[in-house]
């Protein structure tokens, strides 16, 4: 059975005698995977930002001048 999670697609094989996952269970698996991917992306961005060299000790202003 195909399993779609965001832009990721996987084929899941169910062996004879095993019960396939319900739609609700598949949804819960997909949500858990998406949460994990989002957390990894946040960690990656946090790591990148923590190693950037800036011209000032003050954080950059969120307001753009122009």
């Amino acid at each position: 059975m195909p399993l779609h999670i965001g832009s990721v697609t996987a084929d899941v094989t169910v062996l004879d005698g095993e019960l396939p996952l319900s739609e609700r269970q598949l949804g819960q698996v997909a949500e858990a995977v998406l949460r994990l991917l989002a957390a990894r992306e946040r960690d990656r961005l946090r790591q990148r930002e923590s190693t950037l060299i800036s011209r000032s000790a003050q954080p950059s202003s969120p307001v753009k001048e122009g």
Side-chain angles (χ1 to χ4, degrees):
M1 96 178 62
L3 176 62
H4 304 282
I5 302 172
S7 63
V8 177
T9 301
D11 285 318
V12 178
T13 303
V14 178
L15 301 176
D16 289 339
E18 292 183 359
L19 294 176
L21 297 174
S22 69
E23 289 294 321
R24 180 174 169 265
Q25 290 169 320
L26 287 174
Q28 289 174 330
V29 169
E31 289 173 15
V33 170
L34 290 174
R35 283 193 304 270
L36 178 63
L37 292 174
R40 285 184 180 176
E41 179 65 12
R42 283 192 305 273
D43 289 343
R44 186 187 67 77
L45 290 174
R46 195 174 310 133
Q47 175 66 27
R48 191 180 95 207
E49 289 173 357
S50 70
T51 59
L52 288 176
I53 297 174
S54 63
R55 295 181 182 196
S56 172
Q58 295 180 348
S60 61
S61 173
V63 178
K64 303 279 184 192
E65 295 179 23

